[in-house]
Amino acid sequence: MGGYRIYITILVIWMQMTMVQGNCPIAKCTCLDGQPPSNERIIDCREKGLLSVPAINATDEIFQELTLSNAPESNCRGSSPQAKCNRILHISSNTFAGLKVRKIDFSQNYLGSVANDSFSGLETYLTELILEGDDTNLVPFYSLTTLTKLKSLTLERFTLNNNGIEAFHKNLQIWKH
């Protein structure tokens, strides 16, 4: 009888551990424990060979970061990138619907286009955004205009035009008031 109790106890503990590790809102990615003081978890999608942002399962949990980046030493922007490199070219409309995250990192990707409503739903959560373009497309200012909590914006490998800057600048003035 005692052997069954031990077996059941081990089974219950294993099931609880599996459930905690398996509830990442993006199935292709890994959720890592957060660090104090917030202890908010990190969704790690680095170097998964992604060509687009994977489907996101809606959740009420607030995450510290979603990283879709590649490590600079991986040579992912070179002429023959490794298969593990993310090569995300486009961020679609409502891509992040159902997700609450404070930081998104697209470093070392090839963003060619970002839909105007890509970040819909993140207006009150997103404080830091890192986007890396493909060297030919304009800065996606219109997709950023509703991000009222944004404190840090890093844009690399995009070109500029005055229309986008003016629209973004007007919204910056509104946020200050």
Side-chain angles (χ1 to χ4, degrees):
M1 208 56 173
Y4 286 112
R5 286 185 187 164
I6 293 172
Y7 173 73
I8 290 172
T9 303
I10 291 172
L11 180 63
V12 168
I13 292 170
W14 177 79
M15 287 174 57
Q16 288 176 339
M17 288 175 49
T18 304
M19 287 175 57
V20 169
Q21 294 172 349
N23 64 352
C24 202
I26 303 177
K28 294 181 179 182
C29 303
T30 306
C31 279
L32 307 172
D33 289 338
Q35 300 296 319
S38 72
N39 291 327
E40 294 169 344
R41 295 190 305 155
I42 297 168
I43 305 170
D44 184 3
C45 300
R46 287 178 293 181
E47 299 182 347
K48 301 284 186 192
L50 301 173
L51 301 177
S52 62
V53 178
I56 296 171
N57 296 317
T59 178
D60 288 328
E61 182 177 355
I62 298 173
F63 290 86
Q64 178 184 337
E65 180 177 351
L66 165 58
T67 180
L68 296 141
S69 64
N70 294 301
E73 61 273 7
S74 296
N75 194 31
C76 290
R77 290 197 65 96
S79 58
S80 54
Q82 301 172 21
K84 69 178 183 176
C85 293
N86 291 340
R87 295 180 62 86
I88 299 172
L89 304 174
H90 176 71
I91 305 176
S92 303
S93 294
N94 300 306
T95 293
F96 303 101
L99 184 66
K100 298 172 183 167
V101 64
R102 299 194 193 285
K103 176 183 177 181
I104 299 177
D105 184 353
F106 278 97
S107 299
Q108 300 289 315
N109 274 280
Y110 287 85
L111 292 173
S113 61
V114 179
N116 289 348
D117 57 351
S118 294
F119 303 106
S120 181
L122 294 176
E123 295 85 355
T124 58
Y125 298 101
L126 196 63
T127 59
E128 184 175 356
L129 180 60
I130 302 167
L131 299 175
E132 189 159 342
D134 65 359
D135 291 316
T136 63
N137 288 292
L138 297 173
V139 173
F141 284 120
Y142 293 106
S143 66
L144 308 174
T145 57
T146 61
L147 298 176
T148 58
K149 299 291 183 185
L150 201 61
K151 294 179 182 174
S152 174
L153 175 63
T154 303
L155 300 168
E156 294 185 32
R157 299 177 182 257
F158 287 98
T159 59
L160 293 173
N161 82 357
N162 287 336
N163 293 337
I165 294 171
E166 289 173 14
F168 191 64
H169 180 70
K170 286 178 186 175
N171 280 313
L172 285 177
Q173 297 304 318
I174 293 168
W175 297 343
K176 288 180 182 178
H177 295 121

